[in-house]
Amino acid sequence: MSSEAVEKYKAISPAEFFYKYKEIAGFANPARALYQTVRELVENALDATDSHGILPDIKVVIQRADPVQEFYRVTVEDNGIGIPPDIVPNAFGRVLFSSKYVLRQTRGMYGLGVKMAVLYGQMTTGRPIEVITSKREYRRIYFFKIRIDINKNEPVVLERGSWRKQRDWHGTIVSLTIEGDWGKAKARIKEYINRTATVTPYANIVMYTPDNEVILYKRVIETMPRPPKEVKPHPYGVDLEMLKMIIESSKEPTILEVLVENFQSVGEVTAKDLLSKAGIDPSSNPRDLKEDDLLRLINTMKSYNQFKPPSSSAISPLGVEVIKAGLTRMFEPEFVDAVTRKPSTYEGHPFIVEAGIAYGGKVPLSEADKPILLRYANKIPLLYDEGSDVITSVVKEDIAWDNYMVAFPAQLVLLVHVCSTKVPFKGVGKESIADVPEVRREIKLAISEVARRLRGYLTAKQKELETQRKVVHLAKYIPEIARSLEVIFSGDGFDKDTLVKRLVGIISAKTGIPENKINEVIRGVEIGA
Amino acid sequence: MSSVDVRARMNAIGVLKEKFKIILDQIQRGEKPTLVMPKRVLSNTIYDEKNKMLLLGPDVLRRSLIDVNEARKFMQTLLMASIIYEALVNNEYPTIRDLYYRGKHSIGYRDVDGKLVHENTWDEQKESDSVIRDLEVFMNVLREEMLILSKEKGKVVGNLVIKSGDDTIDLSKMGHGAYSIEPTPDLVEFKDVDAEYVLVVEKDAVFQQLHRYGFWRKYRAILVTSAGQPDRATRRFVRRLNEELKLPVYVLTDSDPYGFYIYSVFKIGSITLSYESERLATPSARFIGVSMTDVFGDEVFREVLDEVKEVGGFTKTALGKLKKKKPYLSESERRNYVIKAKQRDIERAVELVGYDVADKCVESSELRSKLKKKEGLTGYPWFRTPNWVRELCIFFKTLNKLEIEAMASKGLKFLADTYIPSKIEGGDWID
């Protein structure tokens, strides 16, 4: 990490920072704080596992930590890659950004969230964070108790220790004690875990609650989403703030080298071209450039039309198999399908939209105007602000559900996942996605595709049902018809059984229905008196 | 059992077996069993101008077991055939209601969800009645010929000796009563007759009055009543009187659209039972009255003619050539006897003669716009004649009707000795 970046954030104290941002970060009140803490820890746990090709085993324990006060100890254990012991104090005890500016789809916000939780815990209960961690290749397990020195913005290690591994364990266990409100937060937390589990069918997730409940989601598949790769930002997607940050965290002596080293699709030729168009000397010290220069550079980059499109390797869609397995685990539906769209871009940011659909089975009945919506952004469930989400608009305005043989309320769940290096969230709450035309279009196409497949299924099902009805409708009369003909022709060498066989043969030949199905119906017929 | 009865049974059994053998053979050959019969629908009902009767058209219905929409009817048809067959062999005389009860039972089956469902072979008698009609057209045998009975409604008296079963009956010796026309009129044998014409009276009460008055004896008539809408037996009986005994038939009904229609049923046939017209209709039957011109004369109609060029497709000149008519009722009698027509009567009249005639003859513009919804009706062809156009035009213009009883109120003597004889002698009827 660069000293400049550290310098920058020393300017405000972590306490100030916290108060400034606690609403945005989700720590406005004890209930929100408890929910947010669970979220931050679970998301880090998943990032430490599935992003590195490890099938997650996540354990969440929430306990009362004080007989009188509403203190809760939240412990989240994962089987992830672990954290090197020399990094642990800074990873949990210093408020700052990552050292190198790269883009990669992660759940957490650059590790900032967990530090907010540490600060919140420290300020409400005074208790330190406890961390137990080990990497796969280590022989020892490391243990830390850390607090943050609020004035100096430094980690204070209260206790540290290590012991020899008795068994082959790797991962991280983090415990935080905070003031919370389980009564008010529990519905939210449970829903969050449920919705997370829906898109992680490859994970074992277990949660122990203060009500002595154990909620378990067992792994149902071993396929995981492709882990995201780190990529450099694409010039189309850069704004002034980001460019400043990139320059500040770079070591290159000239602006030319900064561009070549830190952006995708930019080689020396392109970089020189860009700088000459922007009227900037390629050999200038990037840190000496004025804001005017930087703005011109950005405008040049945005209007330059010879870049390759942004790489999508940084984004990690769930994949069809995962979505289907997840929906199946939750709803045991009669029909399930999913689609992952091809990568697309908006404003220089690559993104992928996925949609999953589940019908029937244990899917609950939807509302009267739309299916049950499960929205996700970068694998994180979006639980609030459904009404203002572009996904909701698409579902209600752009999709003619009648055309897909769906009439609400229906036992229908629709899952939509938008993943991107920069999800276009609406507002600061990050609970809904903004109406960006490119994104809206992809959402519509993804939903239309799964809806079409549902229609295919429903059509086939209806046809099958109609055939069955037809069999019943024709076959149920055979005994009566045979009996009637017997009355008229008995004694003329009439044989009822042969006649029935013939009739079955005729119906089968004319309708293509197997004879055994017809016979089955006939066997069930009782002629009343 | 009489010999005619036995012969009828043997014949019906034979036809039934022959027709259903076709189905049996189809099944044995592995073909889809299909009942082919003339379509019994209005669109396949044809007015035969030449023979002046309603007949079934050439459209045929193919009722196959394989057709989901026809499977139930197919089953019902076979079921009904088996019941009728049993009744024929067992020397029974079921009524259509008996047949309904004999065939009504449940068929229990499992639906697609495996639920046990009970379906009745038929629910209402309407359904089984319809199947009986299908069988009549399929086999081309009337129900009477299958010894199926219906309620007796029609009555007859007169100088006529018949043989019914093994009994000989003199219809001039019925006292105050009358002979009930049996449901199987084809089994009746005409032995002896001394009459000049047949008078069919719509109303039972008027029939009784004329009977007690001795009308039929005095005027050598055979007096028949249908007591309202004529049933099949009465129509067949009248037809046989006309056809076999060569007696002219006169029909006397109320002077209203319903009465006119009853006359047309005797003459032309009914729309719902057009398949039987060939055997039931009496094309030469004449409408003796009571006509609108009997009540109002033709003055009213001339007033209409003054204002239009044509009515009902006939020119003013053509209509002007109709025989002049004087009313049988005086102004004051008319005031006492006529009844105001109801909306129902008016609409029925539009059905008979067509909307255009109503449009020309109805005076009230309010009523005309009310009838606008019947604009599509073009009338039955057999009522689109100059005489009937005049009759119904007067009805539309006056919006009055008259029951035959009113004529009798004027004096039974007037009805029996003046009105009827003078109309017959004067040729004052509609043909």
Side-chain angles (χ1 to χ4, degrees):
Chain A
M1 94 201 55
S2 77
S3 57
E4 286 83 1
V6 175
E7 278 296 322
K8 181 176 165 87
Y9 289 102
K10 270 187 175 171
I12 45 166
S13 83
E16 252 182 277
F17 182 87
F18 178 80
Y19 280 116
K20 203 167 163 191
Y21 290 106
K22 73 172 183 180
E23 252 100 70
I24 297 172
F27 290 86
N29 58 57
R32 276 297 296 228
L34 184 56
Y35 162 71
Q36 198 62 34
T37 301
V38 170
R39 249 186 104 145
E40 296 294 351
L41 296 181
V42 168
E43 279 156 20
N44 282 348
L46 285 168
D47 278 340
T49 48
D50 66 6
S51 294
H52 299 88
I54 300 167
L55 289 169
D57 286 317
I58 312 279
K59 183 167 144 189
V60 181
V61 182
I62 306 169
Q63 300 158 287
R64 278 295 286 258
D66 190 286
V68 184
Q69 307 201 68
E70 287 264 333
F71 289 174
Y72 292 90
R73 183 180 164 90
V74 180
T75 305
V76 175
E77 175 178 346
D78 67 57
N79 60 336
I81 51 168
I83 307 166
D86 54 322
I87 304 269
V88 170
N90 275 336
F92 292 95
R94 195 194 287 270
V95 180
L96 42 71
F97 286 109
S98 308
S99 59
K100 192 159 188 270
Y101 201 94
V102 289
L103 295 177
R104 185 173 93 152
Q105 177 193 325
T106 54
R107 295 181 173 89
M109 335 185 277
Y110 321 121
L112 185 62
V114 71
K115 286 159 204 162
M116 297 296 286
V118 173
L119 272 175
Y120 176 80
Q122 195 169 310
M123 293 165 67
T124 53
T125 70
R127 299 195 195 170
I129 183 170
E130 294 170 35
V131 181
I132 296 167
T133 186
S134 183
K135 289 176 88 71
R136 192 191 297 268
E137 61 270 27
Y138 293 172
R139 297 220 180 99
R140 302 189 75 79
I141 294 171
Y142 299 88
F143 164 72
F144 295 85
K145 274 192 183 178
I146 301 163
R147 49 177 288 138
I148 299 175
D149 181 328
I150 289 176
N151 295 321
K152 290 186 187 158
N153 186 20
E154 268 179 15
V156 180
V157 177
L158 300 175
E159 264 180 58
R160 74 194 302 164
S162 73
W163 58 88
R164 273 191 85 82
K165 259 193 229 182
Q166 299 297 319
R167 57 188 176 93
D168 188 18
W169 183 81
H170 58 87
T172 305
I173 305 169
V174 179
S175 292
L176 264 171
T177 304
I178 59 164
E179 187 188 355
D181 185 341
W182 171 249
K184 280 193 184 142
K186 70 176 167 190
R188 226 180 236 206
I189 290 173
K190 282 183 187 173
E191 193 189 351
Y192 167 75
I193 294 289
N194 174 287
R195 293 279 300 275
T196 300
T198 303
V199 288
T200 53
Y202 50 83
N204 280 321
I205 299 177
V206 60
M207 175 163 75
Y208 297 81
T209 74
D211 304 329
N212 293 321
E213 251 183 302
V214 182
I215 297 167
L216 171 69
Y217 297 101
K218 270 186 84 89
R219 175 180 301 132
V220 287
I221 53 165
E222 308 232 319
T223 311
M224 278 188 288
R226 164 176 65 75
K229 292 195 182 78
E230 295 187 345
V231 294
K232 297 168 187 172
H234 191 279
Y236 280 151
V238 172
D239 59 22
L240 185 62
E241 282 309 305
M242 202 191 281
L243 181 61
K244 278 184 184 172
M245 235 182 291
I246 288 165
I247 290 171
E248 278 177 42
S249 62
S250 67
K251 300 183 188 76
E252 290 76 20
T254 66
I255 182 71
L256 180 74
E257 285 165 281
V258 167
L259 294 185
V260 174
E261 290 304 314
N262 291 286
F263 289 95
Q264 49 169 300
S265 305
V266 180
E268 209 170 306
V269 178
T270 312
K272 276 184 179 158
D273 199 12
L274 285 172
L275 289 168
S276 95
K277 282 193 165 109
I280 297 170
D281 182 354
S283 60
S284 354
N285 182 336
R287 280 158 289 274
D288 291 344
L289 289 172
K290 303 263 178 334
E291 199 156 301
D292 280 359
D293 298 324
L294 297 181
L295 268 176
R296 272 206 314 283
L297 181 56
I298 283 174
N299 289 335
T300 310
M301 291 199 295
K302 286 222 192 287
S303 58
Y304 194 76
N305 53 17
Q306 287 168 48
F307 297 123
K308 277 190 287 178
S311 160
S312 61
S313 58
I315 45 182
S316 162
L318 294 162
V320 168
E321 209 182 325
V322 168
I323 296 175
K324 283 166 72 170
L327 288 171
T328 304
R329 175 165 78 168
M330 281 303 161
F331 300 107
E332 297 170 37
E334 187 186 314
F335 171 81
V336 66
D337 210 339
V339 61
T340 301
R341 296 280 306 162
K342 284 210 228 42
S344 186
T345 61
Y346 80 95
E347 295 165 15
H349 309 291
F351 72 96
I352 289 177
V353 174
E354 299 179 281
I357 204 160
Y359 171 85
K362 292 186 178 163
V363 176
L365 207 59
S366 73
E367 289 169 57
D369 60 342
K370 60 176 183 354
I372 297 169
L373 263 184
L374 307 181
R375 297 171 296 131
Y376 293 87
N378 287 351
K379 298 175 189 162
I380 298 175
L382 305 181
L383 301 184
Y384 301 100
D385 303 337
E386 183 180 284
S388 61
D389 197 305
V390 66
I391 296 171
T392 310
S393 308
V394 171
V395 165
K396 284 181 150 177
E397 295 160 20
D398 299 355
I399 307 287
W401 289 98
D402 300 358
N403 294 347
Y404 301 105
M405 298 173 69
V406 174
F408 298 114
Q411 279 185 278
L412 191 66
V413 161
L414 182 67
L415 180 153
V416 178
H417 179 215
V418 176
C419 50
S420 174
T421 47
K422 186 169 188 275
V423 174
F425 284 114
K426 194 172 188 175
V428 290
K430 300 206 169 185
E431 287 286 358
S432 70
I433 297 170
D435 192 348
V436 176
E438 294 90 335
V439 177
R440 183 172 184 139
R441 191 183 123 82
E442 280 295 310
I443 292 171
K444 184 190 166 182
L445 290 172
I447 296 175
S448 303
E449 194 167 332
V450 287
R452 261 199 307 281
R453 294 189 198 167
L454 173 66
R455 178 178 58 198
Y457 169 77
L458 291 175
T459 311
K461 183 182 163 186
Q462 200 178 47
K463 224 171 159 184
E464 168 67 24
L465 203 67
E466 263 160 33
T467 309
Q468 281 177 15
R469 285 218 178 89
K470 191 171 174 179
V471 179
V472 171
H473 193 69
L474 301 181
K476 67 182 173 189
Y477 296 133
I478 290 184
E480 183 64 56
I481 288 166
R483 194 200 58 77
S484 296
L485 285 170
E486 188 182 35
V487 168
I488 301 171
F489 294 106
S490 65
D492 301 352
F494 182 89
D495 178 19
K496 195 160 126 185
D497 290 345
T498 314
L499 185 94
V500 169
K501 266 193 206 119
R502 292 268 178 187
L503 279 170
V504 170
I506 293 165
I507 293 181
S508 176
K510 302 283 174 191
T511 59
I513 299 158
E515 292 197 3
N516 63 335
K517 290 224 167 199
I518 303 168
N519 283 321
E520 207 177 291
V521 176
I522 293 176
R523 272 196 299 278
V525 172
E526 302 159 21
I527 294 185
Chain B
M1 202 186 312
S2 70
S3 53
V4 276
D5 185 321
V6 174
R7 269 202 309 281
R9 278 177 202 282
M10 293 315 293
N11 179 55
I13 290 169
V15 176
L16 191 147
K17 278 196 141 178
E18 184 192 318
K19 292 297 275 188
F20 282 91
K21 184 76 175 19
I22 298 171
I23 302 298
L24 192 63
D25 289 346
Q26 282 172 339
I27 296 170
Q28 260 142 16
R29 282 199 302 270
E31 293 166 13
K32 58 176 181 186
T34 309
L35 296 155
V36 182
M37 61 183 87
K39 257 192 196 159
R40 277 195 305 108
V41 291
L42 181 59
S43 61
N44 192 36
T45 303
I46 291 175
Y47 177 59
D48 180 348
E49 290 276 1
K50 192 167 142 261
N51 296 308
K52 300 232 184 298
M53 58 175 77
L54 277 174
L55 296 175
L56 271 185
D59 295 357
V60 293
L61 169 75
R62 293 176 188 279
R63 176 170 296 163
S64 163
L65 168 66
I66 309 298
D67 182 347
V68 172
N69 298 321
E70 294 284 350
R72 178 174 161 86
K73 278 269 187 184
F74 184 91
M75 174 277 291
Q76 291 176 334
T77 313
L78 268 81
L79 169 61
M80 183 56 87
S82 77
I83 303 166
I84 292 176
Y85 177 83
E86 274 181 321
L88 285 168
V89 219
N90 295 332
N91 295 325
E92 292 175 310
Y93 302 90
T95 63
I96 53 175
R97 186 135 191 94
D98 293 334
L99 295 175
Y100 162 69
Y101 280 120
R102 287 184 196 188
K104 183 172 181 255
H105 58 249
S106 72
I107 294 175
Y109 65 95
R110 303 262 163 202
D111 71 5
V112 283
D113 306 321
K115 212 172 65 198
L116 185 66
V117 181
H118 287 281
E119 174 182 324
N120 281 333
T121 46
W122 40 65
D123 290 304
E124 295 172 55
Q125 196 185 327
K126 244 175 29 191
E127 254 185 296
S128 63
D129 285 357
S130 162
V131 175
I132 294 171
R133 282 187 215 117
D134 287 342
L135 272 175
E136 293 184 270
V137 295
F138 174 63
M139 291 165 51
N140 197 20
V141 174
L142 292 184
R143 69 182 69 160
E144 292 79 7
E145 298 170 302
M146 297 188 261
L147 288 309
I148 296 166
L149 306 187
S150 47
K151 212 174 113 189
E152 292 173 349
K153 213 170 117 189
K155 294 191 290 190
V156 57
V157 285
N159 284 322
L160 177 66
V161 178
I162 60 167
K163 194 172 170 203
S164 173
D166 290 331
D167 297 328
T168 302
I169 304 163
D170 185 345
L171 302 192
S172 64
K173 296 193 161 43
M174 308 302 293
H176 287 157
Y179 171 70
S180 286
I181 299 169
E182 60 174 87
T184 52
D186 279 298
L187 304 190
V188 167
E189 202 183 322
F190 297 136
K191 302 293 276 187
D192 190 22
V193 67
D194 176 22
E196 292 194 348
Y197 61 88
V198 178
L199 181 68
V200 181
V201 185
E202 171 194 353
K203 292 273 178 73
D204 189 25
V206 178
F207 169 87
Q208 289 187 44
Q209 289 173 31
L210 290 172
H211 179 24
R212 283 167 193 256
Y213 185 78
F215 173 84
W216 55 269
R217 207 180 296 276
K218 190 164 174 186
Y219 293 97
R220 294 180 59 228
I222 291 174
L223 195 58
V224 177
T225 183
S226 60
Q229 279 287 346
D231 61 12
R232 299 156 50 115
T234 309
R235 289 163 56 197
R236 177 68 188 147
F237 192 83
V238 169
R239 159 72 174 267
R240 287 192 61 203
L241 290 175
N242 174 253
E243 195 173 50
E244 295 168 32
L245 304 180
K246 311 281 182 236
L247 297 174
V249 172
Y250 299 97
V251 181
L252 179 65
T253 73
D254 285 346
S255 189
D256 65 21
Y258 281 87
F260 304 158
Y261 184 71
I262 285 174
Y263 158 69
S264 84
V265 169
F266 273 109
K267 184 181 176 74
I268 312 289
S270 82
I271 291 164
T272 48
L273 300 172
S274 57
Y275 60 91
E276 55 201 6
S277 300
E278 263 177 281
R279 304 177 50 79
L280 302 187
T282 308
S284 66
R286 294 155 177 170
F287 179 72
I288 189 175
V290 180
S291 64
M292 282 284 153
T293 42
D294 290 343
V295 181
F296 294 98
D298 58 2
E299 220 25 61
V300 195
F301 185 59
R302 291 183 186 283
E303 283 165 27
V304 175
L305 280 187
D306 285 344
E307 287 162 29
V308 295
K309 285 202 178 95
E310 58 86 38
V311 184
F314 298 102
T315 61
K316 204 171 179 163
T317 336
L319 293 169
K321 281 182 190 153
L322 283 170
K323 215 157 93 185
K324 288 207 168 57
K325 284 273 303 183
K326 283 213 167 60
Y328 281 83
L329 297 180
S330 69
E331 182 68 40
S332 66
E333 283 168 339
R334 244 198 320 272
R335 260 203 307 280
N336 287 338
Y337 299 149
V338 297
I339 307 170
K340 249 185 106 196
K342 297 201 171 70
Q343 183 67 20
R344 215 161 56 97
D345 297 313
I346 300 166
E347 286 177 7
R348 189 82 178 120
V350 175
E351 279 166 36
L352 296 188
V353 77
Y355 170 80
D356 58 328
V357 176
D359 190 46
K360 289 258 162 61
C361 306
V362 169
E363 277 183 344
S364 142
S365 58
E366 191 193 338
L367 178 60
R368 268 209 305 276
S369 63
K370 238 181 172 174
L371 291 173
K372 199 84 180 163
K373 61 181 179 200
K374 302 252 170 199
E375 202 171 8
L377 295 177
T378 54
Y380 300 136
W382 55 96
F383 277 107
R384 300 280 287 191
T385 65
N387 267 314
W388 281 115
V389 166
R390 178 167 74 173
E391 288 297 316
L392 286 151
C393 184
I394 295 170
F395 170 77
F396 285 129
K397 177 107 176 148
T398 60
L399 295 177
N400 279 319
K401 56 181 189 175
L402 183 120
E403 297 185 316
I404 331 169
E405 285 93 329
M407 282 291 189
S409 304
K410 183 175 156 74
L412 190 54
K413 202 169 150 39
F414 165 74
L415 179 65
D417 293 336
T418 310
Y419 181 73
I420 298 171
S422 74
K423 290 216 68 160
I424 290 175
E425 278 155 33
D428 185 12
W429 62 72
I430 299 176
D431 208 348

